[in-house]
Amino acid sequence: MTHYRAPQNKQQYKPAKPENLYGPETENRETFPFFPAFVHVTGKKVVVLGGGEVAAGKLLLLLRSQADITVIAPELCTDIATMVDTGAIRWEAAPFVDTMLNGAVMIFDAADDMHMTRRVKIAAKRRNILLNVVDKTEHCDFIVPAILDRAPVMVTISTGGCAPALARIIRQRLETTLPASMSQLASLARSARRRVAAHLPDNVARQRFWTHFFQNGLQDTHLTQSTPQDLDAALTRFVPEGSSATVPGGQILHADVTADNAFDLAHGIARAIETSDIIFHMPGIAPDILGLARRDATVIELESTGDDGNIDDDARERLKHQAAFFARQGSNITCLYRN
């Protein structure tokens, strides 16, 4: 089945400018000094310098990963000693030398010794190894964000090292918003990916199914009772076995937006934006509202045709027909008007 993207007709529509989606012009908006990313450490060497309580805190987090962890310290606190005794980590008690870093992908310096830190920085730079010096952002190649653990789901919050306490407060607030049971939902999805791919060979259909499944699951008060059979039932309802359909028809939402920011936006509209393939919008829609859109969504700014700065009835009717056309192709459409 062929899928179409909305034409960006310059007579009636114009593409949204980057600053309309992500804020002011590039040179006027603040950039982030640390690029957000997750580092693959399974089976790879990670070094922690220091044997005190600060190092123990980093190790408790590292032990959640599948890294091969080595601690370099002349002495160990009780917690780290226990980790060594159980075989969870390795311990190098000898004085630090540069070659101890060979083969590492990351280093955590928690020794609180600036003389050693200077040596470690030089050694790490020579070997192109990422370095984190605990509580000294100016010496860091990477920083560790506040983490909301819903493994296999992990939500991270960072302020770029300028306000760690604020990141922790945000994480605490999210703790009350995101149910712990979403972990079970993600695990269920992980085990069913191949089954869903076999049932829905079309990528658009799979994306739409997972969106519906997760949204319904997160609203389900009986989430902890979800089973593989529940997922199979949802899959059959989405596209019945033996059906010739590859992608169900898309949904359309026409909405008047009165909010000036995403926080005040009605939940239904926010949800529609997040799941839309194509978004038409009037000028004046707040950038952070448009920022709710998926990165691969098509976002098109409408030109005003009415005296009130909106679009007139004829233009709105044409837009409805166009939205219906793309919905028949399986796309979710959201049209945002400024009220």
Side-chain angles (χ1 to χ4, degrees):
M1 181 176 182
T2 302
H3 303 285
Y4 297 90
R5 284 296 187 191
Q8 298 187 355
N9 188 328
K10 295 187 178 182
Q11 297 301 315
Q12 182 176 355
Y13 309 118
K14 58 183 179 180
K17 297 178 181 179
E19 63 268 24
N20 288 342
L21 288 178
Y22 306 113
E25 296 286 351
T26 302
E27 60 269 21
N28 295 328
R29 73 174 188 265
E30 183 172 349
T31 56
F32 39 77
F34 293 95
F35 184 79
F38 288 85
V39 180
H40 185 255
V41 295
T42 299
K44 298 179 181 179
K45 181 178 178 180
V46 174
V47 173
V48 176
L49 290 103
E53 296 300 329
V54 175
K58 296 300 178 186
L59 286 165
L60 287 174
L61 179 61
L62 280 170
L63 286 173
R64 293 296 308 277
S65 74
Q66 299 176 21
D68 183 2
I69 306 167
T70 297
V71 172
I72 301 173
E75 297 180 345
L76 302 178
C77 68
T78 302
D79 289 341
I80 299 180
T82 300
M83 298 175 195
V84 173
D85 291 341
T86 59
I89 63 176
R90 302 180 185 183
W91 178 29
E92 292 277 358
F96 171 75
V97 293
D98 294 5
T99 55
M100 289 178 171
L101 303 182
N102 289 350
V105 295
M106 288 196 308
I107 305 165
F108 291 86
D109 181 357
D112 195 23
D113 181 340
M114 282 309 299
H115 175 69
M116 178 182 288
T117 295
R118 284 190 288 270
R119 293 176 56 201
V120 171
K121 284 185 66 174
I122 294 171
K125 186 174 182 179
R126 285 176 179 169
R127 293 164 174 77
N128 293 317
I129 305 172
L130 295 175
L131 171 65
N132 174 276
V133 183
V134 179
D135 292 334
K136 294 180 175 60
T137 306
E138 66 275 14
H139 296 295
C140 292
D141 296 315
F142 71 97
I143 56 178
V144 179
I147 297 173
L148 174 60
D149 186 358
R150 296 289 187 270
V153 177
M154 182 178 293
V155 181
T156 62
I157 306 101
S158 173
T159 58
C162 65
L166 176 59
R168 288 194 293 271
I169 291 171
I170 295 172
R171 178 190 61 78
Q172 289 164 356
R173 293 192 178 186
L174 287 176
E175 286 277 4
T176 63
T177 303
L178 301 178
S181 51
M182 70 186 303
S183 172
Q184 185 266 352
L185 186 66
S187 297
L188 181 61
R190 178 175 55 192
S191 65
R193 293 191 68 84
R194 290 186 179 180
R195 189 158 73 255
V196 171
H199 188 86
L200 300 172
D202 184 275
N203 183 61
V204 175
R206 289 197 300 273
Q207 184 181 80
R208 185 143 309 126
F209 167 75
W210 284 121
T211 298
H212 285 296
F213 179 74
F214 291 137
Q215 286 183 332
N216 292 335
L218 289 174
Q219 292 178 346
D220 189 354
T221 57
H222 299 92
L223 179 61
T224 55
Q225 301 177 15
S226 295
T227 66
Q229 290 71 32
D230 295 328
L231 189 142
D232 288 339
L235 193 58
T236 301
R237 287 194 300 271
F238 188 74
V239 174
E241 293 281 2
S243 171
S244 60
T246 56
V247 183
Q251 298 178 330
I252 303 174
L253 175 69
H254 294 270
D256 290 322
V257 176
T258 58
D260 292 320
N261 57 75
F263 183 80
D264 293 329
L265 192 66
H267 176 71
I269 299 176
R271 179 174 172 177
I273 295 173
E274 292 167 351
T275 59
S276 285
D277 302 292
I278 305 171
I279 299 168
F280 297 97
H281 70 93
M282 293 303 305
I285 301 297
D288 64 328
I289 291 178
L290 297 177
L292 296 173
R294 302 196 323 262
R295 290 178 182 266
D296 62 340
T298 300
V299 182
I300 302 173
E301 183 175 318
L302 301 167
E303 292 185 349
S304 300
T305 57
D307 295 335
D308 59 355
N310 224 309
I311 63 174
D312 58 32
D313 291 341
D314 290 340
R316 188 174 292 220
E317 193 63 29
R318 289 194 298 271
L319 179 59
K320 288 182 179 179
H321 285 296
Q322 190 171 33
F325 170 79
F326 289 113
R328 287 195 295 272
Q329 308 302 315
S331 295
N332 287 334
I333 313 294
T334 297
C335 303
L336 304 175
Y337 308 102
R338 188 63 184 166
N339 191 345

